[in-house]
Amino acid sequence: MKRYKAPNPGDRVAYAASWLRNIGHFSGHIPFRRGTFLGVEKTAPESHGRVKWDDIEELIAECAKDPNSQYADAEYVAEIRANGQLVALSAIAKVGSPRFALNDL
């Protein structure tokens, strides 16, 4: 398993271009998502980190209407508001880095 270096807390992050390509996500809001990296996840420090996404409140408001959405769960929403969203380090990159720009091929 390839290990990815975590961004520094406070770094601006986005989804890595290679990750977006691998999941076939080229449109919608996900490729344009930006956030602040809060730090590595204590329970999985080599593979996951926490991100406070800029659009999280809009996403919560939009998706909470669907009872099947994770954002309809009050405990989950409280958790991500307090601690940021859990994201795989392989899926994110520092804005402006080679992984952000798809130069890692």
Side-chain angles (χ1 to χ4, degrees):
M1 179 172 95
K2 184 174 181 179
R3 292 192 179 167
Y4 292 90
K5 184 178 180 292
N8 295 316
D11 281 350
R12 297 292 294 159
V13 295
Y15 285 112
S18 59
W19 183 80
L20 291 167
R21 183 199 63 228
N22 289 342
I23 66 165
H25 225 302
F26 304 104
S27 62
H29 76 282
I30 290 179
F32 301 99
R33 230 172 166 201
R34 302 292 182 270
T36 302
F37 187 73
L38 302 177
V40 294
E41 172 60 23
K42 294 177 179 115
T43 60
E46 293 184 10
S47 62
H48 287 76
R50 295 279 180 165
V51 175
K52 172 85 172 167
W53 296 108
D54 297 346
D55 65 351
I56 195 63
E57 291 303 323
E58 293 86 5
L59 189 62
I60 290 168
E62 178 184 327
C63 297
K65 299 169 191 163
D66 177 359
N68 297 318
S69 168
Q70 62 190 356
Y71 300 103
D73 180 341
E75 284 184 49
Y76 176 71
V77 169
E79 165 70 16
I80 63 173
R81 281 181 172 147
N83 301 310
Q85 221 163 6
L86 187 62
V87 180
L89 296 177
S90 61
I92 58 172
K94 183 176 176 179
V95 171
S97 71
R99 287 192 65 239
F100 170 76
L102 196 59
N103 292 333
D104 63 334
L105 301 178

